[in-house]
Amino acid sequence: MKIVSWNLRNISLNKLGNAFSPTFNAYGLGNNVLDYVSGLVMGTNRWNAIPNLSTNPADVFVMIELKTGGSQKGQAVSGNCLPALNAVIAALNTLVGIRYPGNPNPPYQYAYAVPLIIGRNETVGIIYNTVSIKLLSATAFRNYNNNKWINPRSPFGAMFQVRANNALFQVVGLHAPPPKGAANLKYRPPIDYCVQLPTTIPAGMANSFFMGDFNCNPASTYTNGAGTVVTPFAGLPTYTTQIPNGTLSSVRVKVASANPAPANYLSDAFDNIIYNDPIPVANVNELVVDTIGGARNMNVVPIVNIPGANLTGVLNAYNKVSDHLPVAMEW
Amino acid sequence: MANWKFTDQYGTAYPALQNSILSLLVFDITGTSPVSGTAFSASLDLAATGAAMSVLSIITGLTTIPMTGTVDTSNNTLTVSLTSTNNTVLTTAIAACIPIIGGSICKDASVTINNVTPASLTSDDEPTTDDIDLNITIAIGSGKGVLVTQIPMSNGFFTTSATFTGFGISLSDLDFLVPGQSGFSQSFPSTELGPYYNSGTALSLLALSVTFYVNTNPSLSVTVSGVSVSIGITNIPIYQQALYMNPLAVWVNVTNITTTPLTTWGLEGSIVLCNYNTPGNTATPDFEFDFNLGFPNPPTVPDFTVSGSFENPSDKPVSLMIQDLLGSSTDTGISDTITVEYFDFYAATNVTTGTITEFSTDIAMSGQFGLFENFTLEEFSISVSYSS
């Protein structure tokens, strides 16, 4: 099973068609945003040199910051949201046909869970492989203690059944509020958001995966007025991640030359997948997929690494895709 | 014949040029330069350029593309504007291999190169303009449109698109986008739009994009991944020459074009408020309010919904909004420091009962006023919600 979670910063139908600078296009990593994103989700050879990232297509692809009209949490999406999802699954299914030519029953076929509004003009897109898993339900989650929506953006998730063994698991996408304020309280907004995650129904279920933009680290803290140190996931003691704490994932808009790589193009450790599925650690590959540091010129022989030669160009191109790197997990 | 690149002649004076496509493109020249005065003439050598131009070479069946244009170095800025001159050959090639918009639909094809590189930019910068595009002119109804795409430089998806102004159409004009029995007309949500659309409604084509997948291994194939069309009505006057609905648009996205077309669609639009000095100028309004509509599909989706959002990225004040609406001399006493940060609303109506089931609005403002005159008020918001 392979999951890819990616904050794609206001991803919309229009944004999918945006091309990169021609010098970046010349590297062969993608002709436009759709090409770039689908190439990574489908495990193409563009990224086969990134350690611990397989060339298997994803079974679940979670899109954070999928744009929609409306702000009423739990209501139907509108505007270009469904056309955007339609365009993405069409691309993924096209790539399935390319990968398995002439196969009338390829091992991948993609569909999406119908999204709901989770916040102001925002939803979560959950795309899944109908061949390996079956969608049972999808919804936006409230705090079940007080039945209120979680602000500013309620988590949205889906329950799946693995066709091979009927096992159930839950995938929940979320987008916490950004850090803000004085240094000692900077992480209070996202931490207080994460503290509410145990109040969502999937949190107490077995085999749940929470993923997306947490806007904080598992080890981020702030001290509250009572002098208590507050951490994001104290209420989820059975949850874990294989991404080392502090692994940078949010992307700078400009190269910070004074910093050593990857801090010269990455700024914070915000993106993660945490889970309570008791998968043996040795069977798990989970990583922040550094497609900036791992960018290569695929149009030369032999293929060469790029960033040292043109980090600015690669970073500028990546900013057309997002301000966050994707996270992948496979077991 | 010799190989020549723009960086050979201009790379020293314009350091950022090394980060442009002109640092890769190889031209065949006689003599020492293809530039005479400001006139340029040389053939783009696709083979000599290498892998970046291999897809274009395979699509067109060409190894060189003759180009002419201008190269200007005035104002310490390199400005390059080139156009292909063998468009008949390009058109034949594109028409033969690109589906949906090829064949007799394709009227012209060209390659253009545009670059603007100020001398002040360093080798760490990218040019301000750096485009190499494939332009495809297609017939749409009784008119034509030019779809533009950056040259694809690897196997993968690329999107060719265009926006239109004042381009009246009928739905059948777009049937070529969904070949076969269904046609585009069948994909348009005519029934779902109910009283908002009938066969007499005047429609404008606002935008069109076609996403292709190109594969050159083992041989060339170009397949359609999807088509997106925005059809709407523009410049609908709401209040004098101040407030317009521009546009009211239906977005239709169709995938699986050649097999079992799958259609999704969305309704959106904008209400624009023109500056009081330029009444009726909807192209550059002072304020823009975006809205989205959702139509019911009983019993699973029983509600008609409308939601709107307004953002004010230029922090224009509420007083200007009032002047644009009511005239430049209108003075309500609201300070120029009060700005609306955002204004959202949402409403849902059950189409069976006709009653409003949900309503909410959020308004956030900023600026010093009244009791907060001496405070730096970052944001002041009001939220109202109703649910039956």
Side-chain angles (χ1 to χ4, degrees):
Chain A
M1 191 69 61
K2 183 175 181 179
I3 299 175
V4 173
S5 168
W6 204 340
N7 180 329
L8 287 167
R9 190 172 62 185
N10 283 334
I11 188 72
S12 65
L13 187 64
N14 290 337
K15 182 174 174 177
L16 290 173
N18 288 350
F20 304 108
S21 71
T23 44
F24 184 81
N25 272 28
Y27 294 144
L29 295 174
N31 294 312
N32 59 20
V33 171
L34 176 66
D35 196 22
Y36 187 99
V37 170
S38 59
L40 182 116
V41 173
M42 289 300 292
T44 65
N45 65 350
R46 294 168 180 166
W47 310 107
N48 64 0
I50 292 181
N52 298 320
L53 182 70
S54 78
T55 54
N56 295 324
D59 294 284
V60 180
F61 173 36
V62 175
M63 301 163 65
I64 305 296
E65 280 203 47
L66 174 61
K67 203 170 171 182
T68 174
S71 55
Q72 192 80 345
K73 294 183 178 68
Q75 296 298 323
V77 298
S78 60
N80 272 334
C81 183
L82 293 183
L85 273 174
N86 206 30
V88 173
I89 63 168
L92 298 181
N93 287 328
T94 296
L95 290 177
V96 170
I98 299 292
R99 191 158 178 152
Y100 303 96
N103 185 340
N105 297 300
Y108 296 88
Q109 185 69 26
Y110 293 98
Y112 61 80
V114 177
L116 299 171
I117 299 171
I118 62 158
R120 188 166 180 263
N121 296 329
E122 188 171 333
T123 183
V124 172
I126 298 181
I127 292 174
Y128 64 99
N129 175 17
T130 62
V131 176
S132 63
I133 58 179
K134 180 181 174 183
L135 175 69
L136 299 182
S137 64
T139 191
F141 295 106
R142 299 173 184 260
N143 178 329
Y144 64 66
N145 290 330
N146 56 25
N147 205 34
K148 289 188 188 300
W149 293 113
I150 297 173
N151 289 323
R153 293 170 283 260
S154 283
F156 176 85
M159 176 183 282
F160 293 106
Q161 182 178 50
V162 180
R163 293 189 187 272
N165 57 16
N166 293 326
L168 301 179
F169 70 99
Q170 294 70 238
V171 166
V172 181
L174 59 90
H175 184 191
K180 191 177 175 182
N184 58 331
L185 293 173
K186 174 182 171 183
Y187 288 104
R188 182 168 64 180
I191 289 175
D192 282 352
Y193 176 92
C194 292
V195 163
Q196 298 184 74
L197 293 179
T199 69
T200 63
I201 290 177
M205 300 173 73
N207 308 327
S208 288
F209 299 76
F210 283 80
M211 63 198 69
D213 181 1
F214 293 84
N215 267 311
C216 63
N217 237 329
S220 297
T221 66
Y222 80 91
T223 302
N224 66 15
T228 303
V229 174
V230 187
T231 58
F233 305 126
L236 297 170
T238 61
Y239 282 75
T240 188
T241 175
Q242 302 311 313
I243 294 176
N245 189 65
T247 301
L248 301 179
S249 64
S250 64
V251 178
R252 295 181 183 274
V253 296
K254 197 174 178 181
V255 175
S257 304
N259 297 349
N264 54 343
Y265 57 88
L266 301 177
S267 58
D268 283 290
F270 284 167
D271 301 88
N272 220 318
I273 300 175
I274 64 170
Y275 60 96
N276 66 356
D277 193 320
I279 309 165
V281 173
N283 294 353
V284 177
N285 276 324
E286 186 180 359
L287 68 153
V288 172
V289 186
D290 186 357
T291 57
I292 299 173
R296 299 177 295 168
N297 187 343
M298 307 300 291
N299 276 343
V300 295
V301 179
I303 296 169
V304 297
N305 295 326
I306 300 168
N310 187 15
L311 179 58
T312 296
V314 173
L315 184 60
N316 288 346
Y318 192 87
N319 273 289
K320 289 198 173 185
V321 178
S322 183
D323 54 350
H324 290 259
L325 292 177
V327 179
M329 178 175 175
E330 189 168 11
W331 66 99
Chain B
M1 284 285 191
N3 286 352
W4 178 92
K5 295 183 186 178
F6 272 86
T7 42
D8 295 340
Q9 183 166 341
Y10 302 100
T12 302
Y14 305 93
L17 200 63
Q18 70 181 31
N19 299 319
S20 85
I21 193 64
L22 295 181
S23 69
L24 297 177
L25 298 179
V26 175
F27 293 87
D28 295 332
I29 65 169
T30 55
T32 58
S33 171
V35 183
S36 174
T38 59
F40 176 97
S41 180
S43 287
L44 173 61
D45 193 324
L46 303 180
T49 298
M53 290 292 111
S54 64
V55 173
L56 181 64
S57 179
I58 293 172
I59 285 177
T60 60
L62 301 171
T63 56
T64 61
I65 296 178
M67 306 195 78
T68 60
T70 59
V71 178
D72 188 275
T73 57
S74 59
N75 301 317
N76 291 314
T77 300
L78 177 69
T79 304
V80 177
S81 181
L82 309 179
T83 305
S84 56
T85 59
N86 63 338
N87 291 356
T88 301
V89 175
L90 283 172
T91 303
T92 301
I94 295 299
C97 70
I98 300 247
I100 305 297
I101 60 172
S104 61
I105 305 283
C106 177
K107 299 303 182 187
D108 188 62
S110 66
V111 173
T112 54
I113 296 173
N114 288 286
N115 180 285
V116 176
T117 305
S120 57
L121 296 181
T122 72
S123 58
D124 289 332
D125 299 316
E126 292 181 323
T128 52
T129 299
D130 189 26
D131 299 326
I132 175 168
D133 294 328
L134 175 64
N135 311 282
I136 304 173
T137 302
I138 63 171
I140 305 174
S142 58
K144 293 179 185 177
V146 182
L147 301 177
V148 182
T149 180
Q150 184 155 277
I151 303 288
M153 299 189 194
S154 61
N155 291 342
F157 296 100
F158 66 99
T159 301
T160 181
S161 62
T163 57
F164 302 85
T165 302
F167 198 109
I169 57 160
S170 61
L171 293 180
S172 59
D173 292 338
L174 299 174
D175 278 345
F176 69 93
L177 293 172
V178 187
Q181 294 180 350
S182 58
F184 180 82
S185 308
Q186 297 298 318
S187 298
F188 190 78
S190 307
T191 304
E192 291 85 345
L193 286 170
Y196 297 93
Y197 171 79
N198 59 65
S199 59
T201 304
L203 301 176
S204 293
L205 179 62
L206 302 178
L208 169 64
S209 69
V210 187
T211 297
F212 298 98
Y213 186 88
V214 60
N215 192 4
T216 59
N217 185 20
S219 59
L220 175 66
S221 73
V222 182
T223 54
V224 180
S225 179
V227 169
S228 290
V229 182
S230 175
I231 297 172
I233 311 166
T234 57
N235 291 331
I236 303 169
I238 298 176
Y239 179 71
Q240 298 187 354
Q241 283 189 292
L243 200 63
Y244 291 82
M245 190 178 293
N246 184 44
L248 172 63
V250 179
W251 265 103
V252 181
N253 174 268
V254 187
T255 56
N256 300 337
I257 298 285
T258 55
T259 52
T260 51
L262 176 64
T263 302
T264 52
W265 56 279
L267 279 169
E268 58 181 18
S270 294
I271 294 177
V272 301
L273 180 58
C274 305
N275 183 269
Y276 58 81
N277 276 328
T278 54
N281 179 6
T282 57
T284 53
D286 274 345
F287 299 94
E288 192 161 335
F289 186 86
D290 296 326
F291 62 88
N292 293 278
L293 303 175
F295 275 77
N297 185 24
T300 51
V301 183
D303 297 335
F304 163 82
T305 64
V306 57
S307 63
S309 65
F310 163 74
E311 307 223 16
N312 189 8
S314 302
D315 290 328
K316 293 182 180 174
V318 173
S319 56
L320 176 62
M321 194 184 288
I322 304 279
Q323 287 177 299
D324 287 342
L325 267 174
L326 302 177
S328 59
S329 60
T330 307
D331 181 4
T332 58
I334 297 177
S335 166
D336 290 344
T337 61
I338 306 299
T339 62
V340 178
E341 298 291 328
Y342 64 79
F343 170 43
D344 293 350
F345 78 88
Y346 174 89
T349 304
N350 186 300
V351 293
T352 303
T353 64
T355 57
I356 294 178
T357 55
E358 304 270 358
F359 175 80
S360 69
T361 184
D362 293 278
I363 306 171
M365 294 173 283
S366 65
Q368 286 90 327
F369 63 94
L371 286 175
F372 306 99
E373 184 93 22
N374 297 313
F375 293 87
T376 301
L377 190 62
E378 189 173 303
E379 187 177 282
F380 174 81
S381 65
I382 301 170
S383 296
V384 175
S385 65
Y386 160 81
S387 179
S388 68

